[in-house]
């Protein structure tokens, strides 16, 4: 269970969502690396009971995730891009819609 | 720099329930007409026009200018939401200084019913569409709820501290016939309101409304009271969205802003800070030097109690409403009206005013921040 995060080929900086140019070194060449765990920094519960979290993916990439199960701030949680994954997981939508201009 | 002034301001009345014939174009046109009437300027004198609206499509600024009968030498359209008013002002001031235009109208507004609002936030930008909406997610309340948690932890703020800010603005709104929510609010009301996204409650979140705002910028004086632009500046994407969001670009801008204005934060009499959430008002007040970072709860309480700086005297967006892209222009119109002595029952004695803009949540928090310092002159 993991998600793919953008990595700069030149300086190894990680980004989410994807950037066009690396904000650290200015390079425009990227690949992807798997991330399997995120660290939950804050949790907010919506009126309908949905639980969302502000989290970081190693080394320190901030992401926003949906939490399943009783997950608290400070915990390390498995990351998934499967919206219906079972168990105590953090769902991070990673699939980008392709725009007309991208095709 | 100090020769350009705002000589008129107007607001098309905000409403939660727009009528069938109401469109973004009609409310913007109404605000433009009100601002020009306030400035006593004939539409034929206008040679510069800028507009910001989330819902103008399929039209653009030139279509609106055409429909308004404006013949122009300067035209722009801005897309920066809560920061759009001051972005447009910054450009307009330079245009007037450069001689590209002499009389510029800046306008912003939206027909923002519930469906429009939901569509807007779901596809706000690429990051939102692809990485937030599938969560699911229906607007930025969760991001700012978690930012509020970070701010509470970092500065020792409590729900009651935010409540004081909200209640203070509602008190001002009671004096503003244009505010959509004017009934007094108690701390019990605030704390007892339904949770939207912990720890945010109903009154921490702006009510979407339909409406528009406009101002008239010119180098010409002699039309009575006006608001001279002492300084205007902006910062965009200061941290690549990898920070904690507890400071805005105003923190970086602040020193240059006050230096250009030739005054200090302590000289300010009235401020409209962009209040999409109480935490962001607190952040901006800190960033411009109106709150003590070492004692945020105490300095906030003192500021609100003393009214040494009158903050968000229209009631702010939290009580007056957020008319889409007009959110930033609303605060500018309020400070201009105050500095021109036209704020009715909520009028304060003010020589110097501050207006801040903030907005465009890229992924985790807003990436645009700007501010202007104005002086009342005649």
């Amino acid at each position: 269970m993991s998600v793919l995060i953008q990595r700069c080929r030149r300086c190894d900086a990680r980004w989410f969502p994807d950037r066009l140019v690396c904000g650290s070194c200015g390079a425009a060449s990227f690949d992807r690396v798997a991330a399997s765990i995120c660290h939950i920094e804050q949790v907010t519960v919506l009126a309908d009971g949905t639980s969302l979290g502000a989290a970081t993916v190693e080394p320190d990439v901030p992401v926003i995730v949906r939490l399943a199960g009783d997950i608290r701030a400070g915990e390390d949680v498995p990351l998934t891009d499967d919206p219906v994954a079972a168990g105590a997981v953090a769902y991070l939508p990673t699939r980008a819609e392709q725009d007309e201009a991208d095709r | 720099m100090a020769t350009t002034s705002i000589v008129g301001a107007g607001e098309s009345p905000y409403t939660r329930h727009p009528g069938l014939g109401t469109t973004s174009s009609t409310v913007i046109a109404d605000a433009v007409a009100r601002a020009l009437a306030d400035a006593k300027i004939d539409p034929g004198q206008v040679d510069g026009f800028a507009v910001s609206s989330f819902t103008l499509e399929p039209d653009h600024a030139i279509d609106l200018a055409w429909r308004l009968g404006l013949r122009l030498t300067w035209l722009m359209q801005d897309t920066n939401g809560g920061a759009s008013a001051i972005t447009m002002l910054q450009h307009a001031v330079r245009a007037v200084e450069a001689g590209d235009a002499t009389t510029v109208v800046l306008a912003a507004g939206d027909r923002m019913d519930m469906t429009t609002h939901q569509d807007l936030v779901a596809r706000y930008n690429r990051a939102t569409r692809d990485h937030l909406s599938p969560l699911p997610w229906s607007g930025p309340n969760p991001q700012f709820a978690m930012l509020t948690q970070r701010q509470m932890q970092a500065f020792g703020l409590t729900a009651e501290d935010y409540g004081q800010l909200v209640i203070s603005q509602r008190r001002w709104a009671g004096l503003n016939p244009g505010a959509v929510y004017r009934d007094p609010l108690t701390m019990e009301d605030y704390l007892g309101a339904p949770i939207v996204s912990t720890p945010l409650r109903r009154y921490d979140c702006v009510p979407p409304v339909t409406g528009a705002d406009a101002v008239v910028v010119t180098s010409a004086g002699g039309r009575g009271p006006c608001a001279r632009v002492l300084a205007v500046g902006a910062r965009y994407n200061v941290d690549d969205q990898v920070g904690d969001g507890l400071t805005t670009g105003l923190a970086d801008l602040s020193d240059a802003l006050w230096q250009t204005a030739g005054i200090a934060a302590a000289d300010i009499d009235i401020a409209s800070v962009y209040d999409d959430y109480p935490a962001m008002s607190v952040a901006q007040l800190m960033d411009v030097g109106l709150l003590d970072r070492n004692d945020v709860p105490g300095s906030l309480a003192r500021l609100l109690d003393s009214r040494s700086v009158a903050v968000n005297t229209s009631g702010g967006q939290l009580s007056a409403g957020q008319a889409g892209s007009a959110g930033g222009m609303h605060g500018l119109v309020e400070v201009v009206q105050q500095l021109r002595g036209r704020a009715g029952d909520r009028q304060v004695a003010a020589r110097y005013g501050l207006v801040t803009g903030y907005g465009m949540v890229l992924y985790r928090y807003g990436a645009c921040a700007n501010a202007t310092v104005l002086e009342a002159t005649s």
Side-chain angles (χ1 to χ4, degrees):
Chain A
M1 186 175 288
S2 64
V3 302
L4 294 175
I5 299 287
Q6 188 185 42
R7 183 184 75 96
C8 174
R9 289 181 194 270
R10 183 197 283 173
C11 75
D12 201 43
R14 317 290 167 95
W15 300 101
F16 189 88
D18 285 359
R19 307 301 205 268
L20 297 169
V21 171
C22 177
S24 292
C25 74
S29 178
F30 299 94
D31 58 13
R32 295 190 184 280
V33 295
S36 58
I37 296 289
C38 68
H39 182 74
I40 305 299
E41 305 281 357
Q42 289 89 32
V43 174
T44 185
V45 180
L46 280 59
D48 66 1
T50 301
S51 185
L52 301 178
T56 52
V57 175
E58 284 194 357
D60 55 1
V61 182
V63 296
I64 297 172
V65 294
R66 188 187 75 212
L67 303 171
D70 184 22
I71 296 170
R72 310 279 174 89
E75 292 185 29
D76 290 332
V77 181
L79 262 175
T80 179
D81 59 2
D82 178 358
V84 294
V89 296
Y91 165 54
L92 178 64
T94 59
R95 297 187 182 99
E97 217 177 276
Q98 205 171 32
D99 291 308
E100 187 84 19
D102 298 332
R103 291 181 187 134
Chain B
M1 179 72 191
T3 59
T4 306
S5 297
I6 302 175
V7 298
E11 182 169 278
S12 185
Y14 285 8
T15 175
R16 292 278 278 165
H17 306 289
L20 281 177
T22 302
T23 68
S24 297
S25 298
T26 62
V27 291
I28 291 170
D30 183 48
V32 168
R34 289 170 186 266
L36 288 171
D38 187 44
K40 296 184 172 59
I41 287 178
D42 185 90
Q45 295 175 254
V46 175
D47 57 3
F49 178 64
V51 65
S52 179
S53 175
F54 291 120
T55 54
L56 207 54
E57 64 178 5
D59 280 357
H60 298 88
I62 183 60
D63 302 286
L64 195 52
W66 173 44
R67 296 174 68 197
L68 289 168
L70 301 177
R71 290 168 173 76
L72 307 169
T73 58
W74 183 90
L75 176 68
M76 77 172 282
Q77 184 164 355
D78 188 85
T79 58
N80 292 307
S84 63
I86 293 171
T87 303
M88 293 191 292
L89 178 65
Q90 184 183 32
H91 285 263
V93 166
R94 310 304 179 220
V96 169
E97 287 174 348
D100 290 338
T102 61
T103 306
V104 179
V105 174
L106 312 179
D110 279 291
R111 185 188 199 277
M112 196 54 66
D113 57 26
M114 193 53 69
T115 302
T116 305
H117 184 257
Q118 288 169 346
D119 290 347
L120 173 69
V121 298
R123 300 177 68 83
Y124 197 64
N125 56 18
R126 186 183 300 253
T128 300
R129 181 196 63 191
D130 293 344
H131 306 300
L132 292 172
S133 292
L135 284 170
W137 173 96
S138 58
N141 293 333
Q143 285 107 313
F144 286 95
M146 294 187 282
L147 187 152
T148 299
Q149 291 179 33
R150 294 194 287 275
Q151 190 181 64
M152 293 171 84
Q153 189 170 12
F155 296 104
L157 287 153
T158 65
E160 286 79 1
D161 293 320
Y162 297 114
Q164 291 294 352
L165 183 63
V166 173
I167 291 165
S168 170
Q169 290 190 195
R170 181 59 68 87
R171 202 171 293 128
W172 283 115
L175 302 172
N176 177 11
V180 294
Y181 292 114
R182 303 179 61 206
D183 291 342
L185 196 66
T186 67
M187 186 61 77
E188 189 178 6
D189 295 332
Y190 171 80
L191 294 173
I195 287 288
V196 173
S197 179
T198 54
L200 298 184
R201 297 168 168 83
R202 173 180 292 164
Y203 298 113
D204 294 312
C205 304
V206 290
V209 299
T210 292
D213 293 78
V215 298
V216 183
V217 180
T218 177
S219 61
R223 290 190 181 87
C226 59
R228 185 165 60 170
V229 182
L230 297 182
V232 57
R235 294 290 185 274
Y236 303 110
N237 187 35
V238 290
D239 67 358
D240 265 333
Q241 296 278 293
V242 297
D244 57 19
L246 298 185
T247 57
T248 71
L250 296 179
D252 187 57
L253 170 66
S254 182
D255 286 349
L257 186 78
W258 296 124
Q259 186 173 11
T260 303
I263 63 169
D267 296 321
I268 287 294
D269 302 302
I270 181 169
S272 284
V273 293
Y274 191 84
D275 62 325
D276 49 353
Y277 297 92
M280 292 321 303
S281 293
V282 170
Q284 291 164 80
L285 289 168
M286 269 194 279
D287 289 347
V288 298
L290 290 174
L291 292 181
D292 179 358
R293 285 186 182 278
N294 297 314
D295 179 19
V296 177
S299 57
L300 177 64
R302 289 191 292 276
L303 183 72
L304 297 176
D305 287 346
S306 69
R307 290 188 171 178
S308 56
V309 179
V311 177
N312 291 349
T313 52
S314 70
Q317 297 177 81
L318 289 169
S319 284
Q322 183 180 62
S325 199
M329 191 68 83
H330 174 79
L332 181 60
V333 165
E334 174 64 14
V335 168
V336 169
Q337 298 288 36
Q338 288 278 0
L339 294 178
R340 299 182 71 227
R342 301 188 180 197
D345 291 343
R346 64 189 187 284
Q347 181 68 50
V348 300
R351 176 178 178 186
Y352 294 114
L354 170 75
V355 185
T356 69
Y358 172 81
M360 301 312 289
V361 179
L362 300 187
Y363 181 54
R364 299 173 58 235
Y365 45 80
C368 302
N370 45 28
T372 187
V373 180
L374 307 172
E375 180 183 18
T377 60
S378 55

